[in-house]
Amino acid sequence: MAEETKVRFGILGCAHIAIKVCKAITTAPNTKLQAIGSRSFEKAATFAAEHGLPEAVRVYGSYESVLEDDEVDAVYIPLPTGLHVTWAVRAAERRKHVLLEKPVAMNAGELDRILEACEANEVQFMDGTMWVHHPRTAKMKEALSDTQRFGQLKWIHSCLTYNPGPEFLKHSIRVKPDLDGLGALGDTGWYCIRAILWAMDYELPKSVLAFPGAILNEEGVIISCGSSMHWEDGKSASFHCSFLTYMTFDITVLGTKGCLRLNDFTLPFEENFGYATFSEASEMDYGKIEQGRWCPKASEHVVETEFTQDVWMVKEFASLVQKVKRCEMKPEKVWPIVSRKTQLVLDAVKESIERGYQPVEIVS
Amino acid sequence: MAEETKVRFGILGCAHIAIKVCKAITTAPNTKLQAIGSRSFEKAATFAAEHGLPEAVRVYGSYESVLEDDEVDAVYIPLPTGLHVTWAVRAAERRKHVLLEKPVAMNAGELDRILEACEANEVQFMDGTMWVHHPRTAKMKEALSDTQRFGQLKWIHSCLTYNPGPEFLKHSIRVKPDLDGLGALGDTGWYCIRAILWAMDYELPKSVLAFPGAILNEEGVIISCGSSMHWEDGKSASFHCSFLTYMTFDITVLGTKGCLRLNDFTLPFEENFGYATFSEASEMDYGKIEQGRWCPKASEHVVETEFTQDVWMVKEFASLVQKVKRCEMKPEKVWPIVSRKTQLVLDAVKESIERGYQPVEIVS
């Protein structure tokens, strides 16, 4: 792609996740890394040097400077959640398109301020949930939509946990109320909720009821929790998220006739090898039952991919930005809508915990 | 084993599951199939002929006749749950040892009457949960108990479902209030609860809270439901059971350092091939991470077995019966205790549903 049509990215902050996204921006065919800013010039310069950013990348000692750069089209914001509303709104007001790390806000009220700013300034908004952009995800959706194989969706369970250890639990920004104040619910529960909504074609549940026994730290930040969710028509789901156990990235989606399972849904085991898999079992496999094997094992589906999912994400975002820049379309609304639905469910789970495990209705 | 020391079994009823257990009794080295009784002689005779029972097996036209046979040491009772209390108590009063199909009773009150009768008459009691007797289960327990690999247990999820279809949902005894009145909770939820308790070393949860949106049929029998469970010390679990979706037999047990997963825990995929597997992932596998694979896949453990799990069950039961018969020991109390704990949790989940999804404390 010609250099002049590439979307030029500025990065606000030097979070660990920015390493991956910087690499994705330099890899995607339609994006270019233009600038990086941190609270101090030294920090930004060190980050640029340590991670081998191209020499042309501009290094700034403030976030504001990135927003003031007229040759920055879009920003990626991996700042702590508590800072999102301030910087995403400022970015939109500067007419920068916004790729915002998840969880997108402390609550739907904050997110609405961000989305209103994006809409008023006609910039594209997208959150940083990478796995939905992997080609595997589209293939899985095809499988779930095949009523012959899968039947009607009835139940989903997702579990996303990792155990970053005692130092993290004491000092990480991910457990600080004023920084990533949603704790494990925001960091890993976000993925569970998003995956459940994705499988449900983004239909919001009627209500949620958190599992008793959520674990909060001394400052009231969630370290481990879970919830059931249910829909008017009898569909239901549950999830568990935590900073206390071994790494899991599990989802099981159950239909009347089939089942889809992954243990690596947010980050494929073999991502860098150019493919990813998902497993699926179905009534239709009964025909294949061998002697002595009463229940068919799930079959593995391999999906080849040219890029890793982070590259797919920035490529998709940039492609929408290009269309907006060329005045071919208004910003695509699907992405703000799914971010907002995810945040609404997340807020409801948090409220259910705060209200002593009462059911909370979801009002969109 | 000499014929005269084998435990002689009588079967009450010709349920489908009896086919498997009859075969197990004729296969196990320490058991012998002595008699089968049904409500009609024809039904029992047809069952014996169709399933090739040995000619020496006595065929009776009533359950009572089996209990009156002095050469029957033990009975296997696969009758509908609603009939358990009557026939298990009568069997115990006739000094027959009792192998009782799950779910063992409509509630813990009924089960207590059964257990009291067994204790008063000094007969062995065991329920028909087969998977706990598979050698794989002991190996899995070893893995969970290895704190170096697994760390501390924090979370369990189990999901057990199948979709027997509309005719079953209309006519099966498994959805009739007076027969198997616990529906899917008794049939498949039993396994989830038992597996969770097994992993928790049979420590009862403090309380349960059923998931809103349980599905009941017109007669009030549970077709699909689930629940969260939690323990004083912050451990928690959830399960989902249903007659509405594709076949799943899943359990995931999460510790601080490792994870154990099965998709065939109640009935191994390859059972008849003489082995079963389980999968396990652990922090200790990080050492094996290959380039580009950021998270280790679970490793598969193969457990060889001489018998299928139904044979292991009757063999274990019969071995206890033999010891009681030889006056070497009183009936083993572990099995009644774990049945009762399973029933207590099951009752609490049912109560939580009936009370409109209120938390229910478990009192043992």
Side-chain angles (χ1 to χ4, degrees), chain B residues 61-232:
Chain B
S62 75
Y63 307 142
E64 199 63 53
S65 307
V66 178
L67 302 185
E68 281 166 2
D69 187 330
D70 286 340
E71 290 176 38
V72 165
D73 303 309
V75 289
Y76 166 63
I77 307 180
L79 297 171
T81 317
L83 304 178
H84 283 190
V85 64
T86 302
W87 290 101
V89 167
R90 284 193 201 174
E93 286 169 353
R94 295 277 185 177
R95 296 257 171 166
K96 308 302 184 195
H97 302 272
V98 176
L99 179 60
L100 185 59
E101 201 37 78
K102 39 65 51 184
V104 286
M106 287 298 293
N107 52 59
E110 281 192 4
L111 177 58
D112 284 343
R113 287 170 56 199
I114 296 170
L115 298 182
E116 281 156 20
C118 288
E119 194 166 347
N121 291 284
E122 295 195 344
V123 295
Q124 182 65 50
F125 174 91
M126 185 188 272
D127 72 49
T129 310
M130 295 175 180
W131 70 270
V132 295
H133 300 279
H134 195 292
R136 176 174 70 166
T137 306
K139 286 283 175 196
M140 292 193 295
K141 195 69 195 179
E142 270 176 36
L144 297 180
S145 306
D146 180 347
T147 52
Q148 288 293 313
R149 275 197 89 78
F150 189 73
Q152 279 75 49
L153 197 160
K154 292 284 183 189
W155 166 254
I156 307 174
H157 178 71
S158 177
C159 178
L160 215 142
T161 71
Y162 65 103
N163 183 355
E167 282 304 302
F168 175 103
L169 292 181
K170 266 186 218 150
H171 304 300
S172 169
I173 61 162
R174 297 197 195 187
V175 294
K176 296 296 174 197
D178 52 339
L179 297 169
D180 286 328
L182 297 171
L185 179 61
D187 191 29
T188 68
W190 171 276
Y191 287 114
C192 301
I193 293 168
R194 180 62 163 272
I196 289 167
L197 290 175
W198 163 81
M200 294 288 189
D201 288 330
Y202 294 108
E203 183 189 343
L204 281 170
K206 185 189 169 201
S207 70
V208 306
L209 174 56
F211 299 160
I215 298 171
L216 279 65
N217 70 12
E218 286 175 3
E219 295 173 288
V221 175
I222 293 166
I223 302 302
S224 173
C225 74
S227 184
S228 63
M229 301 161 60
H230 82 284
W231 282 255
E232 287 279 10

Side-chain angles (χ1 to χ4, degrees), chain A residues 40-274:
Chain A
S40 80
F41 178 82
E42 288 67 33
K43 208 174 160 200
T46 305
F47 183 91
E50 275 183 359
H51 302 294
L53 303 191
E55 289 207 358
V57 173
R58 298 166 190 175
V59 175
Y60 292 116
S62 74
Y63 307 141
E64 199 63 55
S65 306
V66 178
L67 301 185
E68 281 167 4
D69 187 330
D70 285 340
E71 289 175 40
V72 165
D73 302 308
V75 288
Y76 166 63
I77 308 180
L79 297 171
T81 317
L83 304 179
H84 283 189
V85 65
T86 301
W87 289 103
V89 167
R90 283 193 202 174
E93 286 170 353
R94 295 274 187 177
R95 297 257 172 166
K96 308 303 183 193
H97 302 272
V98 175
L99 179 60
L100 184 59
E101 200 38 75
K102 40 66 52 183
V104 286
M106 286 298 294
N107 52 58
E110 281 192 3
L111 177 59
D112 283 344
R113 287 170 56 198
I114 296 170
L115 298 182
E116 281 156 21
C118 289
E119 195 166 347
N121 293 283
E122 295 195 344
V123 295
Q124 182 64 50
F125 174 91
M126 184 188 272
D127 73 47
T129 310
M130 295 175 180
W131 69 270
V132 295
H133 301 278
H134 195 290
R136 174 174 72 164
T137 305
K139 286 283 175 197
M140 293 194 292
K141 195 70 196 178
E142 270 176 37
L144 296 180
S145 306
D146 180 347
T147 53
Q148 288 294 312
R149 275 198 86 79
F150 188 73
Q152 279 74 50
L153 196 161
K154 293 284 184 189
W155 165 254
I156 307 174
H157 179 70
S158 177
C159 178
L160 215 141
T161 70
Y162 65 103
N163 183 355
E167 282 303 302
F168 175 104
L169 292 181
K170 265 187 221 153
H171 304 300
S172 170
I173 60 161
R174 297 196 195 188
V175 293
K176 296 295 172 196
D178 51 338
L179 297 169
D180 286 329
L182 297 171
L185 179 60
D187 191 29
T188 69
W190 171 276
Y191 288 114
C192 301
I193 293 168
R194 179 63 162 273
I196 290 167
L197 290 174
W198 164 81
M200 294 287 189
D201 289 331
Y202 294 108
E203 182 189 343
L204 281 170
K206 186 189 168 203
S207 69
V208 306
L209 175 56
F211 299 160
I215 297 170
L216 281 66
N217 70 11
E218 285 175 3
E219 296 173 288
V221 175
I222 294 166
I223 302 302
S224 173
C225 74
S227 183
S228 62
M229 300 161 62
H230 83 286
W231 281 257
E232 287 280 9
D233 60 357
K235 296 193 298 275
S236 52
S238 73
F239 76 89
H240 171 73
C241 60
S242 168
F243 286 152
L244 297 176
T245 60
Y246 183 74
M247 207 179 285
T248 53
F249 301 82
D250 294 0
I251 187 165
T252 301
V253 187
L254 271 181
T256 49
K257 294 182 181 178
C259 169
L260 178 112
R261 278 195 203 91
L262 280 91
N263 299 130
D264 65 345
F265 84 92
T266 48
L267 198 46
F269 288 131
E270 311 276 11
E271 171 163 73
N272 292 348
F273 295 135

Side-chain angles (χ1 to χ4, degrees), chain A residues 154 157 163 240 245-250 254-257 261 263 270 273 282-283 286 291 293-294, chain B residues 154-155 157 163 245-247 249-250 254-257 261 263 270 273 282-283 286 291 293-294:
Chain A
K154 293 284 184 189
H157 179 70
N163 183 355
H240 171 73
T245 60
Y246 183 74
M247 207 179 285
T248 53
F249 301 82
D250 294 0
L254 271 181
T256 49
K257 294 182 181 178
R261 278 195 203 91
N263 299 130
E270 311 276 11
F273 295 135
S282 161
E283 271 184 10
Y286 282 136
Q291 196 192 358
R293 179 189 286 185
W294 78 284
Chain B
K154 292 284 183 189
W155 166 254
H157 178 71
N163 183 355
T245 60
Y246 182 74
M247 205 178 288
F249 300 82
D250 295 1
L254 271 181
T256 48
K257 294 182 181 176
R261 279 195 202 90
N263 300 130
E270 311 276 11
F273 294 135
S282 162
E283 272 185 8
Y286 281 135
Q291 196 192 2
R293 179 188 288 185
W294 77 286

Side-chain angles (χ1 to χ4, degrees), chain B residues 25-47:
Chain B
I25 291 165
T26 53
T27 305
N30 58 350
T31 55
K32 187 187 164 189
L33 188 55
Q34 186 75 7
I36 181 155
S38 183
R39 279 169 298 173
S40 82
F41 177 82
E42 289 66 32
K43 209 175 159 200
T46 305
F47 182 91

